[in-house]
Amino acid sequence: MTLPRAALMLSICAMSASGCALIPDPVATGECQGVHLGKRVEWPISEDGSWLGREEPDRYGNGRVWVQLQYEAEGLEDDVWSFGVDIELMRGTRLDEANTTKLVPQGDYRLGPQGESVVTEWSGRLWTAEGSKGGYFQPGRPVEGSVTFETVNDLYAEGQFIYRYLNGDTLTCTFDAPINGF
């Protein structure tokens, strides 16, 4: 009787191992669409540069939560490879229904929530040959925006943000970003 039991265990292990190999690691999905400097654009999200971050909870059970998003903006500016945002959320944030925050200019590179919000900080970021730096591409910082989180849990953050510029350009950027470390 030991031989069939061993064969059964080997079969289960073999099926599990091959089944696990078929499940790919989660990657970020999304894109930025709209009008930039009068031209229609469609920029994909960077799979490697976009994620949900969570730190270990503090003694009250709330850890730091943030989302980093990066979009590959072809033809944006000569020295700019991509752009994105760093979004800081309230400690311990988890959402299972839509939550929208209006964003207004605050400081040099930041947009911030207008009123109470799960979003505590929003900063623009550019990636160039010299590396990452704060800022916005032409036509500059948006005059307003909004961010909607559909879901924020232990595994991913999903939603969209909208930038509105003084010159009338509008970009709508979607994201589904997995937890960092997958």
Side-chain angles (χ1 to χ4, degrees):
M1 285 278 180
T2 24
L3 186 57
R5 188 176 278 177
L8 176 62
M9 290 303 286
L10 284 173
S11 295
I12 290 171
C13 289
M15 285 189 299
S16 295
S18 63
C20 289
L22 297 177
I23 301 172
D25 288 339
V27 295
T29 59
E31 65 184 355
C32 241
Q33 293 185 40
V35 176
H36 174 254
L37 299 178
K39 292 183 183 175
R40 184 103 184 107
V41 296
E42 200 168 306
W43 297 320
I45 199 166
S46 168
E47 292 177 2
D48 298 329
S50 304
W51 65 79
L52 166 68
R54 283 193 175 274
E55 285 182 354
E56 291 295 316
D58 59 17
R59 64 183 178 177
Y60 304 107
N62 296 318
R64 182 174 170 243
V65 181
W66 71 97
V67 179
Q68 178 176 311
L69 301 171
Q70 182 178 350
Y71 295 87
E72 299 168 3
E74 297 171 20
L76 187 59
E77 292 175 16
D78 290 341
D79 63 337
V80 177
W81 297 345
S82 60
F83 79 97
V85 296
D86 295 326
I87 311 166
E88 187 82 25
L89 301 172
M90 288 177 57
R91 294 181 72 79
T93 296
R94 285 178 174 71
L95 299 168
D96 58 5
E97 60 184 49
N99 181 293
T100 300
T101 299
K102 182 173 180 174
L103 302 168
V104 294
Q106 295 179 350
D108 292 336
Y109 302 115
R110 290 188 202 86
L111 292 175
Q114 183 179 43
E116 294 286 319
S117 171
V118 298
V119 176
T120 59
E121 189 173 325
W122 181 283
S123 54
R125 184 160 303 283
L126 298 174
W127 283 267
T128 66
E130 290 83 39
S132 173
K133 63 181 182 178
Y136 293 96
F137 52 83
Q138 293 300 319
R141 182 177 61 188
V143 292
E144 70 172 13
S146 66
V147 60
T148 300
F149 283 97
E150 299 292 335
T151 303
V152 177
N153 59 34
D154 290 338
L155 298 176
Y156 67 97
E158 177 184 9
Q160 73 172 12
F161 66 90
I162 299 171
Y163 277 162
R164 290 182 186 86
Y165 296 93
L166 189 59
N167 71 353
D169 290 354
T170 301
L171 293 173
T172 300
C173 305
T174 61
F175 59 89
D176 187 342
I179 187 79
N180 190 17
F182 265 100

